[in-house]
Amino acid sequence: MRKILPSMHFLENFMPLMTHEQYAVQLLRQAAEIPFYQAVELGYIRDASCRREIKKIVTERQWQLTQWCSPVIADQGLALSSLDRSQRRKAVDLAIRMLDGIAECGALRCGLQSGPDVSADLREEAKKALTESCLEISRAAEQYPGLYLIIEPLDRYVHKKQLLGPIEETVAWFSQLKKSCANFYIHWDSAHEKLGGADLLKSVTLAAPYLAQFHLCNCITDPEHPYYGDHHMDVGQPPDYQTWGYLTPEVGAEVLRTVAGFGPCSGIQTTYCALEVRCHLADDPWAKEKLIRGFLQRAFDLAGLPYES
């Protein structure tokens, strides 16, 4: 059996406020009072005093902290899989510099992504470039005790259109990377897989040997629908939890139950699951958090899994 516990995706839950780092840290301290979550996910934090406060919060709360560095890389128009050597050099250097910052926050997981997809005839070359980037980042991360790296495949053809997309292809590539990078793992996301046309349970089973954490995320899979794509949309509310998307607590419970049935992942004591729902400007983030928590609790209950260690 694999141990699974719930995580709070604070970065998405409080998205409009994350650029106001001092205020966001105040909200994080309030969120730490919610007993349900056993881990937390943030973006990269620039302010040194905020980093110190975050480390204090996660240490007191005994939270596993993941920090997503991939948005910072993408926002600068860079990619770890870039075929332009000078641009890839910048991406790798940026990723390595951010390791210092997340270590100051007390993070033990650094989240990365591959980069935009390329034409079919260039994909193998782009994967080789990505491997080179990951090898260098992996070596740099070894100086931070307990810190490891997670890479997230997204969809290739619908919305995010990333190099790492189809799970069979991703796992084949990753299994070779893992031989040289023991501190790398896979982060799996249900919306990316659903948009790629994958069977969720088969997909997560393929990722199982390398799966450190995962997201449940709702999305609309109808290409004719205006909301088609990976928009981190809301989940439904009781009693029926229905939305235009595919995700219900029953679907989430099937994924949780499947992951719980795996054997242990080498190097990973606990696999954390967060529900990824984005808060938008003028939304009430605490109302959104309550919706997220209620849905995730329901999924854990249906799966017969405890919330605590």
Side-chain angles (χ1 to χ4, degrees), residues 235-283:
V235 289
Q237 302 183 39
D240 60 7
Y241 293 97
Q242 294 301 306
T243 66
W244 288 329
Y246 79 93
L247 187 61
T248 63
E250 287 76 14
V251 171
E254 287 183 359
V255 175
L256 287 165
R257 200 178 296 115
T258 299
V259 176
F262 299 150
C265 178
S266 178
I268 302 295
Q269 290 187 336
T270 304
T271 299
Y272 291 99
C273 171
L275 180 60
E276 187 172 33
V277 178
R278 179 166 295 175
C279 187
H280 299 277
L281 191 65
D283 284 351

Side-chain angles (χ1 to χ4, degrees), residues 6 13 34 36-37 235-238 241 248-250 275 277 286-302 307:
N13 194 163
I34 301 170
F36 175 67
Y37 303 108
V235 289
Q237 302 183 39
Y241 293 97
T248 63
E250 287 76 14
L275 180 60
V277 178
W286 291 114
K288 188 82 71 174
E289 182 281 320
K290 186 177 180 181
L291 170 70
I292 292 167
R293 178 160 35 106
F295 185 101
L296 197 54
Q297 283 179 332
R298 177 63 176 159
F300 267 79
D301 287 342
L302 289 171
Y307 314 146

Side-chain angles (χ1 to χ4, degrees), residues 26 121 156 176 190 193 222 229:
Q26 294 178 38
D121 60 314
R156 177 179 282 170
Q176 297 305 306
S190 67
E193 298 307 305
D222 177 5

